[in-house]
Amino acid sequence: MTKPLPKMGSRRNGRIGSRKNARKIPKGVIHVQASFNNTIVTVTDVRGRVISWSSAGTCGFGGTRRGTPFAAQTAAGNAIRTVVDQGMQRAEVMIKGPGLGRDAALRAIRRSGILLSFVRDVTPMPHNGCRPPKKRRV
């Protein structure tokens, strides 16, 4: 009988924790998407790769409580706590959406100790779109 091949990532050869290296990220972008039902906070590096994220739903809030300012504040705190440990000092903030969690999330980000270079509102605004097609005459 043939011998079974050892797994490359098995615990026996001790390579489990060596794959994930602790990155040092000095600057990043914090995206806050505040809808009426939920608030999602995503932290990316400058190139746009996601480092950390959190939402009011993943923090344990359910139903109508997900749209509250306190839920947004908790979500922002959870998302930022991990990146502060990785060494982030500066960030840009992009806020999108009409929800109640906009200001609360921004207040939580300010309190975290990260220096904010700018805060930008990137809520999409309709501008009546392109020209509609001609009416059909039958």
Side-chain angles (χ1 to χ4, degrees), residues 25 43 51-53 76-88:
I25 300 125
V43 184
I51 302 160
S52 169
W53 69 274
N78 283 357
I80 289 172
R81 194 176 303 127
T82 56
V83 294
V84 169
D85 295 341
Q86 292 181 6
M88 184 178 284

Side-chain angles (χ1 to χ4, degrees), residues 54-65:
S54 182
S55 73
T58 59
C59 292
F61 295 94
T64 54
R65 295 197 309 151

Side-chain angles (χ1 to χ4, degrees), residues 30-42 54-56 66 72 75 93-102 105 122-124:
I30 302 169
H31 301 270
V32 178
Q33 183 184 358
S35 68
F36 291 118
N37 296 324
N38 204 353
T39 302
I40 303 168
V41 181
T42 309
S54 182
S55 73
R66 281 188 318 198
V93 180
M94 309 285 195
I95 299 179
K96 180 189 283 189
L100 297 171
R102 294 167 54 101
V122 290
T123 305

Side-chain angles (χ1 to χ4, degrees), residues 125-133:
M125 288 290 173
H127 53 82
N128 289 342
C130 57
R131 187 172 178 172

